[in-house]
Amino acid sequence: MKYKLLLGLSVLFAVGAGAQEVAYEEYDLDNGLHVILHQDNTAPVVTTAVMYHVGGKDRVDGKTGFAHFFEHLLFEGTKNIEKGKWFEIVSSNGGTNNANTSNDRTYYYEVFPSNNLKLGLWMESERMLHPVIEQGGVDTQNEVVKEERRLRYENSPYGKFLFAVSENLFENHPYKDPNIGYMKDLDASSLDEFIAYKKKYYVPNNATLVVTGDIDTDQAKKWISDYFGPIPRGADIVRNYPQEKPITSQINAKTYDANIQIPATIIGYRTPGFKNRDAYVLDMIATYLSDGPSSKLYKKMVDEQKEALQVGSINLGQEDYSMYLVFALPVGQITLDQLNTSIEQEIEKARTTLISENDYKKLQNKFENRFVNSNSSVEGIASSLATNYLLFGDTSLINKEIEIYRSITREEIKEVANKYLNPNQRVVIDYLPEEKPAN
């Protein structure tokens, strides 16, 4: 076993109000699996988690949705876990588990009483080494994914918001297609293609294993070596996705949704990936504009002018490109153009004037609070450790990311708003009720 021992700083000093530094240890197995351990013996609970560096963007044209599909498929069963018994084993041993997939990664985790750490590690090693991928399981999960798509997107009011934005913000990059994929692609895929996808991406050198909570570190290392050490290393993964040309003039689009009666406006800007410092600044701008009833957009458009039922903004972080989104629903006869004008007026202020010292202090307080909350449980710490290493390439962000937000100045907020949030850099989407055909 080849160690790259990096010890997180001891729990000695507070990094913010109520937050202590997270102590951790990380190393690599010979097969490339990165391991991160965090010991916290205050409660008899452990989290075992594996994050794979594979998401919706990892596909070829005509084969969308594979990563999300595997999120479901890898619960089907393994060589040593009977089909359909995964959740039963977890629950009967006092645990809970789940998984989720983004465009950039897939995350599986279990939370067990600490006396079942060995079980959690064995199950995740089984998922990595011995999954059973056969036509029956593929067919079953294909129907599950179709039902999820219908429930969450096709039959849910405003469920296609992100679809509408991504397909207009991106022309070449895989982010243009929905993470859940197109059903026709899954229907047309063969069993051999699913097996090849697993062999390529669900390998130790494309994954990070995190164990947090009430653990004996030496014992955990022994079990990790026993269960994960023999898993063969996969081929190195090379990603070379096409880049997008800058948006230089406003793009206008319309999307129709049969599940709504009130239209909405969506304004989208293509912004840098989440590792870029500017992405942190854009997070702050989104919070400044629309987080809470005292935020600029809400106070103006909902409270004062009473032209919007709802308004919000978010910088949706992704690895290669992020998406800065603003949306609003009108009141009464207010038009979408009127909403767009009010939104632009507030964004223009962010581009041209410094935010007040009082607003700046409120922003800093909000991000301090978020930082503390993100590391308030061993489950949250597991997710943060995996994300910071796998996607950001810096595990120590779990302790120092708040320093990035603290270092952002009012002048930088103005500069970044002026760099990315201009009318000629945006997509404006009219999100409309679907018109019923005339008799």
Side-chain angles (χ1 to χ4, degrees), residues 73 76 83 132-142 191:
L73 187 61
E76 270 287 299
K83 178 181 173 67
V132 174
I133 301 175
E134 56 186 12
Q135 194 61 51
V138 167
D139 293 342
T140 297
Q141 295 307 322
N142 200 4
L191 181 61

Side-chain angles (χ1 to χ4, degrees), residues 361-404:
K361 290 177 182 177
K362 285 168 57 179
L363 272 178
Q364 291 289 347
N365 290 338
K366 285 185 177 182
F367 278 87
E368 291 270 2
N369 187 56
R370 290 181 190 179
F371 179 74
V372 171
N373 290 338
S374 68
N375 297 329
S376 62
S377 69
V378 292
E379 186 178 335
I381 288 171
S383 177
S384 294
L385 287 169
T387 299
N388 290 334
Y389 175 78
L390 189 82
L391 296 180
F392 287 81
D394 185 357
T395 316
S396 69
L397 283 172
I398 195 166
N399 290 318
K400 69 183 185 182
E401 185 179 48
I402 188 60
E403 297 299 337
I404 300 175

Side-chain angles (χ1 to χ4, degrees), residues 83-292:
K83 178 181 173 67
K85 294 294 185 179
W86 184 285
F87 293 97
E88 181 181 321
I89 293 172
V90 172
S91 61
S92 65
N93 284 278
T96 60
N97 70 153
N98 212 332
N100 53 73
T101 307
S102 74
N103 270 322
D104 301 305
R105 93 297 179 271
T106 305
Y107 185 60
Y108 298 91
Y109 66 94
E110 297 80 32
V111 180
F112 276 116
S114 53
N115 62 344
N116 280 323
L117 171 60
K118 185 177 182 181
L119 174 63
L121 291 170
W122 174 73
M123 293 183 76
E124 284 301 338
S125 70
E126 276 290 298
R127 194 199 308 269
M128 187 181 294
L129 179 60
H130 291 135
V132 174
I133 301 175
E134 56 186 12
Q135 194 61 51
V138 167
D139 293 342
T140 297
Q141 295 307 322
N142 200 4
E143 292 305 312
V144 171
V145 171
K146 286 179 180 178
E147 182 58 29
E148 179 182 350
R149 184 183 174 98
R150 285 190 288 265
L151 179 65
R152 295 181 58 185
Y153 303 104
E154 295 174 2
N155 297 331
S156 177
Y158 308 101
K160 294 181 283 188
F161 253 37
L162 288 181
F163 294 179
V165 176
S166 58
E167 68 186 20
N168 284 286
L169 270 183
F170 300 101
E171 184 176 355
N172 300 306
H173 193 282
Y175 288 157
K176 66 186 174 68
D177 296 316
N179 180 37
I180 198 170
Y182 302 108
M183 291 304 98
K184 60 182 177 62
D185 291 349
L186 294 175
D187 288 342
S189 298
S190 68
L191 181 61
D192 286 344
E193 287 172 320
F194 288 116
I195 293 172
Y197 194 83
K198 189 276 166 192
K199 183 178 180 181
K200 179 175 182 178
Y201 290 109
Y202 298 85
V203 290
N205 49 301
N206 195 45
T208 296
L209 167 67
V210 180
V211 182
T212 62
D214 184 24
I215 63 173
D216 178 305
T217 302
D218 290 337
Q219 180 64 78
K221 289 179 181 178
K222 173 64 168 56
W223 287 333
I224 289 168
S225 177
D226 290 345
Y227 290 136
F228 290 90
I231 301 176
R233 180 186 182 94
D236 291 340
I237 296 170
V238 178
R239 293 177 173 87
N240 187 25
Y241 297 119
Q243 296 184 348
E244 294 285 344
K245 295 179 180 178
I247 297 173
T248 56
S249 59
Q250 178 173 303
I251 299 170
N252 296 294
K254 292 182 179 181
T255 293
Y256 294 92
D257 188 334
N259 304 297
I260 66 172
Q261 295 180 323
I262 300 173
T265 185
I266 313 171
I267 301 174
Y269 307 82
R270 192 191 310 138
T271 54
F274 46 52
K275 286 188 284 189
N276 190 300
R277 179 180 172 86
D278 288 351
Y280 291 92
V281 183
L282 287 160
D283 288 343
M284 296 194 82
I285 295 172
T287 298
Y288 168 73
L289 288 176
S290 73
D291 184 32

